[in-house]
Amino acid sequence: MTSFKFHRTTPLLILILALFIALGAPGAATGAKSAEIIRDEYGVPHVFAPTLEAAAFAIGYAQAEDRLEELLRNYRKAEGTMSEAFGPEWFRHDYRQRMWRHAEISRSRYNDVSPLMRTSIEAYQRGIKKYMAEHPGKVPKWAPELHPAQVISLGRYIIWGWPEGEAGADLKRAGIDPDPVAYRGSNQMLLAPNRTAMKAPIAVIDPHLGWYGEFRFYEVRIYAGNFAVSGVSILGIPFPSLGHSRWASVAMTTGGPDTSDIFEEEIDPDNPRRYKYDGAWREMTVRRETIKVLDGDRIAAKEVEIEYSHHGPVVARRPGKAFAMAIPYFNEIGLADQIHAMMTARNLGEMKKAISQLQLMSQNIMVGTTQGDIFYVRNGRVPIRAGGVDPSRPIPGNTSATEWKGIHPFEDLVQIANPPHGYMQNNNISPFAMMKNSPLLPENFADRPYVYNDEKRPPHQRGAMTLEQLDRAQKVTLDQAIDLAYSTEVFRADEWQSRIKSAWDKQETAGRGSDAEKVFNLIQTWNRRSDADSVGALAFYAFKMGLGEQPLQRAVEVPPSLADTKIIDALGKAADWLKSEFGSIETPYGRYFRVGRTGGKTYPVGGGTVAEAGMATPRAISFSKVGKEMLGRGGQTSTQVVILTRKPQSYAILPLGQSDHPESGHWDDQAEKLFSPARMKSTYFLNKGELLKNSKSRKTINEDR
């Protein structure tokens, strides 16, 4: 630091310095509103700011610079105004968001958000507006007017699919098809210090969502006072929800307690908008909404009426009955504050206090700390149900005896800290299967089974493979942790190899020297990993598909009834398919399974959720057929590996690229250079010197300029 020595003979110098500061010397008055954005070699922004407000402003600018249209679409999705911009196919979507009143509740309760979060949200949107003002040509004609409550609306919209899905399942059990909710899955793993080479916890954070749309995460690093975070956020929201701080990591996977219900209302035969409650008729509340719909070159206004009982909106009707969906998050707006509390928690006790705000949806949450703790909670805002009520089916709504009795406190939820196993994983599985001989058993929660909300269910293929890997893991290094995140090992493939060999060896000479024998040999010498360069993996895939019957194709374990003749026939069909599709039996897995932007260049990839062939690996990728390729469309959305040393080290990946602009150089660079070869990049967390060695651009963002 430079020091100045003042003398009594230099009053003029003092006056000049005072004026210089008053007029806005760099780093003085205006500095409090400025932030620096350093982008690394993959275009990921690292924001350095004196305050959270200044950081939020810069994040808004950076998100807009990378993916403005997707950001603006997210606001329209949350508020239910997509039809106005994109046509009638979005009408039902808009109706549902109006039914849940995301925009109205967020606006009316916006002042209940903490002053710190309001200040940050408002600065964040000013950053978006600054970019839009500087680049009017990048702003779509359908861009909505920005207002800060949109950030709260978007948070509600993002978590809503989980409780909607829970209540929708109750409807389905009653024979009523609910509005469809997209499948959401993820992996998460935690290793205790006694299982790692560094003697510090290692966390694998691995959400599996779509690579296009609202769940396509935005990667960022933020340094603002005591807020130091690396992770991913939803576009349109300033701060990460998955990732880590200087003190703790946060991972989440789908699965959790039953938070939401369907109430079956008894309808007045003389008035379809009256329902019985405790022996008297009640009037439904009817809300009228106008949904604008793009129709050709004009906007049509459609008036809708949305009915509510005191339990919630009416989502279905049958003769004499109405079904109301009850979601305990309906009036909640505290998600942003909870995420901030989690990302500033300095130890496990503070993290538990933050999570106990119960603003997050039903999830399996895992936390690791730099003090060495590993922790799991089956999280959710769970109603206390009345005795004798079955919340897995529609609940009689005509009596106060079946009403919710409050919300279960955090302490009532399924949770465990520092299990003796030294590891935990939840790849969308029951707590019963998170570790071998798990102490988290459903009978321990017999008085509140909907909190456990599962059975002694064995893990599916992806979870079973990870369970085996973690149980045998010792002195895990960084490279081994990355291998766990990217694992392409196929559970139970060894049993198939043995069964195929048994069938083949019973033949005499018929198959010798044939193409079927070539497939057989590839499968027998295969290492049971579906790596991109594995010819054995594609041969096994072709064999499984050659079995012809879906139950056989999808089988993870060999069915006892599988006939030898079926196996031999499938080997021949596999050879025919490989030759006709690729011109060669010896074809690597990554020739068929690819990653990259739709309509762009594609790259070979290993692993995947190839359930149609019973080959779902821990490395989860969902594919769709595009031409002659299987192209990744979802799965590993933003994988992170965190070593929770006192100064955490972390590594991360996006499946495509940071930017939506092909000319940026960051459109599909991660797909090509990282995701395809199964590599990860450093986050340079708390290591600005190393970041600068690998940076591509630096920019100071000042709100006043």
Side-chain angles (χ1 to χ4, degrees):
M1 180 180 293
T2 303
S3 61
F4 294 92
K5 184 176 181 180
F6 294 98
H7 300 276
R8 281 180 286 183
T9 56
T10 56
L12 181 59
L13 176 60
I14 294 172
L15 178 61
I16 291 171
L17 285 172
L19 287 170
F20 185 60
I21 292 171
L23 292 172
T30 59
K33 290 189 176 182
S34 66
E36 184 178 33
I37 302 174
I38 301 175
R39 290 187 181 267
D40 64 25
E41 67 269 45
Y42 289 96
V44 176
H46 302 242
V47 175
F48 296 82
T51 66
L52 202 59
E53 177 183 359
F57 181 84
I59 294 162
Y61 189 95
Q63 284 191 6
E65 188 172 34
D66 289 332
R67 305 185 201 166
L68 178 63
E69 288 202 18
E70 190 173 8
L71 185 160
L72 297 173
R73 281 172 67 98
N74 279 356
Y75 286 152
R76 280 197 174 275
K77 286 179 181 178
E79 295 198 305
T81 63
M82 287 291 286
S83 301
E84 180 181 5
F86 301 104
E89 62 269 26
W90 287 95
F91 180 80
R92 181 63 188 175
H93 168 96
D94 288 350
Y95 176 89
R96 283 168 60 189
Q97 310 325 312
R98 305 293 183 91
M99 180 177 75
W100 293 118
R101 298 167 55 197
H102 294 318
E104 179 196 355
I105 290 171
S106 298
R107 285 176 185 262
S108 66
R109 294 203 59 204
Y110 179 70
N111 286 335
D112 293 336
V113 177
S114 73
L116 176 62
M117 280 300 98
R118 292 203 308 272
T119 299
S120 299
I121 287 168
E122 289 156 18
Y124 165 75
Q125 285 208 332
R126 292 197 300 272
I128 298 170
K129 291 176 182 178
K130 179 179 177 68
Y131 178 82
M132 293 168 68
E134 291 177 354
H135 303 85
K138 300 283 188 181
V139 181
K141 293 180 180 179
W142 49 261
E145 182 179 348
L146 298 186
H147 57 84
Q150 285 167 323
V151 175
I152 307 302
S153 297
L154 180 55
R156 286 170 54 94
Y157 166 70
I158 289 297
I159 74 167
W160 226 254
W162 281 270
E164 263 195 299
E166 292 163 25
D170 300 348
L171 267 184
K172 200 166 185 68
R173 293 184 193 100
I176 301 171
D177 288 331
D179 283 311
V181 175
Y183 170 77
R184 301 176 176 96
S186 300
N187 287 353
Q188 60 181 343
M189 309 167 210
L190 267 177
L191 289 161
N194 64 349
R195 289 268 185 166
T196 74
M198 307 82 165
K199 301 302 179 185
I202 294 179
V204 175
I205 305 164
D206 191 20
H208 302 160
L209 299 161
W211 293 351
Y212 303 90
E214 61 268 25
F215 284 106
R216 184 173 158 232
F217 285 113
Y218 186 82
E219 193 176 350
V220 68
R221 329 274 178 245
I222 308 167
Y223 306 97
N226 71 339
F227 193 84
V229 171
S230 172
V232 292
S233 59
I234 295 292
L235 276 169
I237 294 175
F239 303 126
S241 55
L242 293 173
H244 69 95
S245 68
R246 65 174 77 233
W247 297 293
S249 64
V250 176
M252 304 180 208
T253 66
T254 292
D258 182 358
T259 69
S260 302
D261 288 328
I262 296 292
F263 282 89
E264 182 181 303
E265 315 289 14
E266 182 182 343
I267 298 302
D268 182 352
D270 297 322
N271 184 345
R273 284 184 170 166
R274 292 205 310 177
Y275 64 103
K276 185 172 285 188
Y277 188 72
D278 280 349
W281 294 111
R282 281 192 176 190
E283 296 287 338
M284 288 185 178
T285 299
V286 179
R287 289 177 46 80
R288 292 170 177 81
E289 288 275 350
T290 301
I291 299 176
K292 296 179 180 179
V293 183
L294 180 65
D295 183 12
D297 57 356
R298 69 185 187 91
I299 302 290
K302 293 191 176 183
E303 305 293 330
V304 296
E305 293 184 338
I306 307 173
E307 302 168 329
Y308 298 80
S309 75
H310 70 281
H311 293 118
V314 173
V315 295
R317 279 183 177 268
R318 290 294 181 269
K321 300 176 182 179
F323 297 87
M325 189 174 286
I327 290 181
Y329 300 90
F330 190 82
N331 289 303
E332 300 301 308
I333 47 78
L335 184 60
D337 279 308
Q338 177 173 326
I339 294 298
H340 177 261
M342 292 170 67
M343 289 302 180
T344 52
R346 294 168 294 180
N347 52 52
L348 183 55
E350 291 185 4
M351 182 65 77
K352 289 181 179 180
K353 184 178 179 181
I355 299 173
S356 69
Q357 296 178 37
L358 301 178
Q359 296 296 296
L360 279 166
M361 63 288 200
S362 178
Q363 289 282 279
N364 299 292
I365 298 179
M366 285 189 182
V367 172
T369 74
T370 57
Q371 291 88 5
D373 293 307
I374 64 173
F375 173 73
Y376 164 82
V377 61
R378 198 162 172 82
N379 174 79
R381 188 174 180 82
V382 189
I384 301 171
R385 270 74 174 211
V389 163
D390 178 4
S392 69
R393 296 182 177 277
I395 297 169
N398 60 0
T399 171
S400 57
T402 61
E403 292 287 356
W404 292 345
K405 309 302 180 185
I407 299 294
H408 279 282
F410 176 79
E411 293 73 20
D412 283 357
L413 303 179
V414 181
Q415 55 192 281
I416 190 170
N418 301 318
H421 311 70
Y423 69 87
M424 293 187 287
Q425 62 98 12
N426 196 299
N427 298 357
N428 312 124
I429 59 173
S430 166
F432 166 75
M434 283 173 41
M435 44 207 144
K436 291 197 174 179
N437 301 312
S438 170
L440 301 177
L441 303 175
E443 53 262 34
N444 298 339
F445 301 88
D447 61 330
R448 50 191 191 281
Y450 49 81
V451 167
Y452 195 92
N453 194 32
D454 214 326
E455 302 171 349
K456 290 182 178 177
R457 177 170 55 93
H460 48 60
Q461 189 175 19
R462 171 167 48 93
M465 190 72 261
T466 298
L467 183 60
E468 294 294 330
Q469 292 169 336
L470 291 183
D471 192 61
R472 63 178 182 248
Q474 298 290 342
K475 298 181 180 179
V476 175
T477 65
L478 167 63
D479 288 343
Q480 290 169 336
I482 292 175
D483 284 344
L484 285 169
Y486 277 139
S487 174
T488 61
E489 194 171 353
V490 179
F491 187 65
R492 298 294 192 219
D494 57 332
E495 296 180 3
W496 280 95
Q497 287 173 314
S498 296
R499 182 66 185 87
I500 293 167
K501 186 176 189 306
S502 172
W504 186 263
D505 287 347
K506 291 176 185 176
Q507 294 190 110
E508 294 182 357
T509 59
R512 302 296 184 261
S514 66
D515 287 339
E517 184 177 33
K518 294 178 183 178
V519 174
F520 167 77
N521 288 331
L522 289 175
I523 293 173
Q524 291 304 304
T525 57
W526 175 44
N527 66 357
R528 299 184 290 278
R529 293 177 59 93
S530 55
D531 295 320
D533 61 357
S534 173
V535 293
L538 194 62
F540 182 70
Y541 170 85
F543 161 77
K544 288 296 295 296
M545 300 308 290
L547 290 170
E549 301 171 30
Q550 192 174 87
L552 294 177
Q553 293 169 333
R554 298 178 68 90
V556 174
E557 298 181 348
V558 181
S561 60
L562 180 60
D564 290 349
T565 53
K566 194 80 172 176
I567 292 172
I568 302 303
D569 183 57
L571 290 170
K573 289 180 178 177
D576 292 342
W577 180 77
L578 289 165
K579 288 194 300 181
S580 66
E581 289 294 312
F582 309 106
S584 172
I585 290 174
E586 296 189 3
T587 301
Y589 183 86
R591 171 89 178 270
Y592 189 48
F593 293 94
R594 312 283 288 181
V595 64
R597 295 265 189 168
T598 302
K601 189 175 180 180
T602 65
Y603 311 95
V605 72
T609 310
V610 189
E612 68 272 18
M615 294 177 68
T617 65
R619 187 181 193 190
I621 306 169
S622 57
F623 296 96
S624 295
K625 190 74 178 289
V626 178
K628 290 193 171 184
E629 297 178 349
M630 295 292 283
L631 185 62
R633 296 284 301 175
Q636 290 190 312
T637 315
S638 55
T639 308
Q640 302 168 66
V641 172
V642 186
I643 304 169
L644 287 153
T645 45
R646 287 292 176 176
K647 179 181 175 181
Q649 307 164 54
S650 56
Y651 302 82
I653 179 71
L654 294 178
L656 300 173
Q658 182 75 8
S659 172
D660 276 351
H661 305 298
E663 73 283 359
S664 68
H666 305 301
W667 191 62
D668 67 352
D669 55 337
Q670 294 194 50
E672 177 185 8
K673 299 174 185 177
L674 298 175
F675 199 80
S676 169
R679 295 176 53 233
M680 300 185 83
K681 63 185 184 301
S682 173
T683 66
Y684 310 113
F685 188 67
L686 294 174
N687 195 342
K688 192 173 183 180
E690 198 63 28
L691 168 64
L692 290 173
K693 292 178 186 177
N694 294 278
S695 63
K696 293 298 182 183
S697 68
R698 298 180 70 173
K699 185 173 188 175
T700 298
I701 301 293
N702 193 311
E703 189 169 351
D704 294 336
R705 297 176 185 171

